[in-house]
Amino acid sequence: MTLAYVNAIFVVLTFIFWVITSWSNNHYNIDIYEGLLICFEACILSSSLYSIKGFGYKTYVKIINSIGFGIHVLALMAMLYYIRLFQFDQLF
């Protein structure tokens, strides 16, 4: 159940970051990779909300939440490694 909350928070923060960056860069066209990432995150968000609503006992919801959580953890570890590798002092 906590995986669903963590996934939902991560996806919402990803969407907020995407909207802020798209507006600040006047970037209105979406390429195929960005579209696939948005669709993937929307799938994880819908699965997380489905699990939060009380249907978390279904097998495919558990699988999607687990895969989404694993990918989010791997992405976070890759970002932290990248920041550590290049000795960033600030993000922006």
Side-chain angles (χ1 to χ4, degrees), residues 5-77:
Y5 287 109
V6 171
N7 279 340
I9 290 170
F10 196 85
V11 169
V12 168
L13 291 176
T14 303
F15 281 152
I16 290 171
F17 176 76
W18 176 72
V19 167
I20 289 172
T21 356
S22 295
W23 281 352
S24 66
N25 293 337
N26 292 331
H27 176 69
Y28 298 115
N29 55 348
I30 298 174
D31 60 345
I32 187 71
Y33 300 113
E34 193 173 4
L36 287 174
L37 180 68
I38 290 169
C39 290
F40 173 72
E41 292 291 335
C43 178
I44 292 175
L45 180 64
S46 64
S47 172
S48 297
L49 293 177
Y50 195 67
S51 179
I52 290 171
K53 285 295 254 187
F55 298 102
Y57 59 88
K58 299 191 181 238
T59 307
Y60 65 91
V61 175
K62 288 180 185 178
I63 291 171
I64 293 173
N65 278 331
S66 299
I67 290 172
F69 181 73
I71 290 173
H72 287 151
V73 167
L74 287 175
L76 179 66
M77 288 172 41

